[in-house]
Amino acid sequence: MTRQPLSRYALRVASLAAALGLWQLLTSLDVDLWLRFSQFPTVTDVAHAFAERLSGDDYWTDLTDSLTRILTGFALAAVLGVATGVLVARSRLAEDLLGPVLEVVRPIPAIALVPVAILLFPSNEQGIVFITCTAAFFPVLVSTRHAVRALTPVWEEAVRTMGGGRFRILGSVVLPGALPGIFGGLSVGIGVSWICVISAEMISGQYGVGYRTWQDYTVVDYPGVFVGMVTIGVLGWITSTAVELLGRRLTHWLPRSSYVPAGRTRTPRPLATPSRPDGEPQKQAQSEQQGQNDPEEARDEHLV
């Protein structure tokens, strides 16, 4: 492990520790300026509540229910979003038939579909999965559609020239070429799914992290509320990281650009040539420069 990754991890840990330290300082001193930190529980209070929750069975039941809902809804959204995005991008008939309906439904927030889910589905569990799927469906759909339309037609024409059919083009050109855009939509969709599944659990759920967080709020258990918030944040970070790692694994053929700080440019180092007392390196450099200029002069003469 090199020095640069170690320094980056150290900075990340230091930033998290600084945020927790600031939280502990403001809440323990009951600072009330414009924001009322005296109403917040301290970091130690949240840590004690977290330890108590970990020792009980309800916490793990809520965790399992929320993960089951999010993974089921997100998997359905990934399949349906990619399939619909490819279909709309590749077929004018599908775009004319599905495009207007999708564009009308897309601006509606998924959490606003809670009454619709209650009326449509016989159980709250199915309704929460439906809301989660709807939340992730549209980011995946839009990203897939734009990624497919951005593909260069030369690749498709090359496959057709070699005798490839429609399914061959789909499997060899369309889906591999659109993978970076598809995973961009999946990364956005998993975050939106967590927002909507927690909101749906607060409204119509019986178990889950969102339901438990809302119950803690109703009984004025603020450390329990923050336990739910921390749990949601950690679960969202883990799932988003998993999607990103899967995307990197499936698109390993893409060139990865290295980070260069602003204001710094990488300049190639000149090759060192052995020095001779008779000035031979200088003559050799002049001859190489003259050889590079000769094609340009020949091209200019040809144009004239």
Side-chain angles (χ1 to χ4, degrees), residues 288-303:
E288 291 178 357
Q289 184 177 4
Q290 183 178 1
Q292 294 177 357
N293 294 332
D294 289 342
E296 297 181 358
E297 295 177 358
R299 184 182 60 187
D300 294 340
E301 292 177 358
H302 177 69
L303 292 177

Side-chain angles (χ1 to χ4, degrees), residues 70 74 132 135-137 139-140 183-195:
I70 194 74
F74 181 72
T132 307
F137 171 76
V140 178
F183 273 96
L186 292 175
S187 299
V188 176
I190 191 66
V192 179
S193 295
W194 273 112
I195 296 173

Side-chain angles (χ1 to χ4, degrees), residues 114-238:
V114 171
V116 178
I118 294 174
L119 295 175
L120 282 178
F121 296 95
S123 65
N124 292 337
E125 193 73 22
Q126 297 174 357
I128 293 174
V129 173
F130 165 75
I131 293 171
T132 307
C133 176
T134 305
F137 171 76
F138 287 104
V140 178
L141 166 68
V142 174
S143 298
T144 303
R145 183 181 62 188
H146 287 295
V148 172
R149 288 178 177 175
L151 296 176
T152 175
V154 177
W155 300 343
E156 182 176 347
E157 293 174 359
V159 176
R160 290 186 184 276
T161 303
M162 292 184 291
R166 180 178 302 177
F167 292 102
R168 182 67 176 176
I169 294 173
L170 183 64
S172 301
V173 176
V174 176
L175 291 179
L179 270 182
I182 291 174
F183 273 96
L186 292 175
S187 299
V188 176
I190 191 66
V192 179
S193 295
W194 273 112
I195 296 173
C196 291
V197 72
I198 296 300
S199 302
E201 287 177 350
M202 288 181 176
I203 297 175
S204 60
Q206 295 180 352
Y207 293 99
V209 179
Y211 170 79
R212 192 68 55 187
T213 303
W214 181 255
Q215 291 297 113
D216 291 334
Y217 173 74
T218 56
V219 297
V220 200
D221 184 9
Y222 293 123
V225 173
F226 277 85
V227 169
M229 294 171 61
V230 172
T231 303
I232 295 167
V234 172
L235 290 176
W237 172 69
I238 292 175

